[in-house]
Amino acid sequence: MENKSLKGILLAIAGASLWGVSGNVGQFLLQNKELNVEWLITVRLLIAGTCLLLFAKTVEKAPINDIWKEKSSAIQLLVFSITGMLAVQYTYFAAVRYSNAATATVLQYTGPVMIVVYLALKKKAVPKLTELLEISLAVIGTFLLVTHGNVHTLSISVTALLLGIASAIALAIYTLQPAELLKKYNAATVTGWGMLCGGIAFCFVHAPWRVSGIWDFQTVIGFVYLMILGTIIPFYAYMTAVKIIGGQKSSLLATAEPLSATILAVLWLNTSFTAIDWIGSLCIITTVVLLTIRNKKVAL
């Protein structure tokens, strides 16, 4: 039993870390190799969605077409594809394009705080003291990250900030919206169709055959990493971890993503990350950890 739990923990950390690395690879491709962000998102969603559906069909033996047979499920899936899957992918990598992987990833992790605020508004309830403290900590962290403590200046562009906030909102939608679908259908099926439909929709924004950028050996390696080690494998690893150790513990371990993204950005891409940036990031990550721990206690 202990070995099985250890396997789940390692898979969750590995999946989150690979996602963190993918942000830096995306930054390298977008900024150094001048790939178009819309093209990258379109191709990533099409390839990853197709692979996940094949995995669900062949390995998990899931009836992947059943989701389209019920009208309400089909509508929910299409909404998830656009407002959740496509939105979170595009806003995140666009934020990376205009800032860096470390900042974009940490800003995206304010999403869980937005979920707390949304649920409080939905229930027309005043957030508890612990929730208010968590929200305040996230706000302080975001403030330090984007201003370096100076209210008169921004350390990142307004575009990057707005995209980072949009990414957090999209992450909240991505987390909440497909809840009913995941109760009825296989996780790989829902995610696979979400990616594929999102990719098809984005083809009308940027066709996958309109390739741009500087293509050399490094570009090819980075692109392959983003498709396989940055999307398909980490999703499978994380999904397996959820099955072994549960969603609460897996989401707690997922904080390895902003940490790995930040460390690699500093070491590989020479991203400037000051003491204030680290403090702001730590505030946001701590908020996510506290939210996860509190939710786990409630669930128990």
Side-chain angles (χ1 to χ4, degrees):
M1 189 66 179
E2 291 183 0
N3 289 335
K4 190 175 181 181
S5 297
L6 178 61
K7 178 184 176 182
I9 291 170
L10 292 176
L11 283 172
I13 294 174
S17 298
L18 287 172
W19 273 323
V21 174
S22 72
N24 286 277
V25 174
Q27 180 183 337
F28 175 76
L29 293 175
L30 295 170
Q31 295 181 359
N32 294 50
K33 299 301 180 180
E34 301 176 11
L35 266 63
N36 180 280
V37 64
E38 287 80 12
W39 177 86
L40 188 63
I41 295 305
T42 301
V43 176
R44 186 188 195 199
L45 289 175
L46 289 174
I47 293 176
T50 301
C51 289
L52 282 173
L53 287 174
L54 287 172
F55 170 80
K57 179 72 173 178
T58 59
V59 178
E60 299 197 333
K61 307 299 181 183
I64 62 173
N65 293 321
D66 283 3
I67 198 169
W68 296 106
K69 295 178 180 179
E70 188 176 332
K71 185 178 179 180
S72 61
S73 295
I75 293 173
Q76 288 178 42
L77 178 62
L78 290 174
V79 171
F80 168 64
S81 300
I82 305 301
T83 64
M85 182 63 73
L86 174 57
V88 77
Q89 293 282 334
Y90 176 69
T91 52
Y92 171 71
F93 276 100
V96 169
R97 171 69 179 84
Y98 287 101
S99 58
N100 57 72
T103 301
T105 306
V106 174
L107 283 176
Q108 188 183 62
Y109 263 70
T110 59
V113 179
M114 295 186 181
I115 292 175
V116 171
V117 174
Y118 167 76
L119 292 177
L121 291 173
K122 185 179 179 180
K123 296 176 182 178
K124 297 180 181 179
V126 178
K128 298 176 182 178
L129 180 60
T130 52
E131 292 175 336
L132 290 173
L133 289 173
E134 290 158 355
I135 292 169
S136 299
L137 192 60
V139 170
I140 292 170
T142 304
F143 171 77
L144 293 176
L145 192 65
V146 302
T147 68
H148 285 173
N150 187 343
V151 294
H152 301 293
T153 62
L154 285 175
S155 61
I156 59 176
S157 68
V158 175
T159 301
L161 174 59
L162 292 176
L163 285 167
I165 294 173
S167 177
I169 295 172
L171 179 64
I173 295 172
Y174 173 87
T175 303
L176 295 173
Q177 199 275 334
E180 292 300 316
L181 288 175
L182 291 171
K183 290 178 182 178
K184 298 194 301 186
Y185 304 101
N186 173 273
T189 299
V190 173
T191 305
W193 277 121
M195 286 182 168
L196 185 58
C197 291
I200 292 172
F202 223 45
C203 285
F204 294 96
V205 176
H206 194 103
W209 54 84
R210 288 170 50 201
V211 184
S212 61
I214 303 168
W215 283 87
D216 54 20
F217 181 73
Q218 290 181 330
T219 308
V220 173
I221 293 298
F223 180 77
V224 171
Y225 176 92
L226 204 59
M227 295 301 111
I228 300 175
L229 291 174
T231 307
I232 300 167
I233 291 179
F235 172 78
Y236 175 70
Y238 188 78
M239 183 173 62
T240 305
V242 170
K243 289 181 179 180
I244 297 174
I245 61 176
Q248 297 290 346
K249 188 177 290 186
S250 297
S251 62
L252 177 60
L253 295 169
T255 52
E257 181 180 352
L259 288 174
S260 64
T262 302
I263 293 171
L264 189 61
V266 173
L267 295 178
W268 176 35
L269 299 175
N270 298 317
T271 299
S272 176
F273 223 68
T274 65
I276 293 294
D277 292 318
W278 283 108
I279 294 172
S281 300
L282 184 61
C283 286
I284 293 172
I285 294 171
T286 301
T287 301
V288 178
V289 172
L290 291 174
L291 280 169
T292 306
I293 293 174
R294 182 166 57 80
N295 288 340
K296 184 179 180 181
K297 287 180 178 178
V298 171
L300 292 175

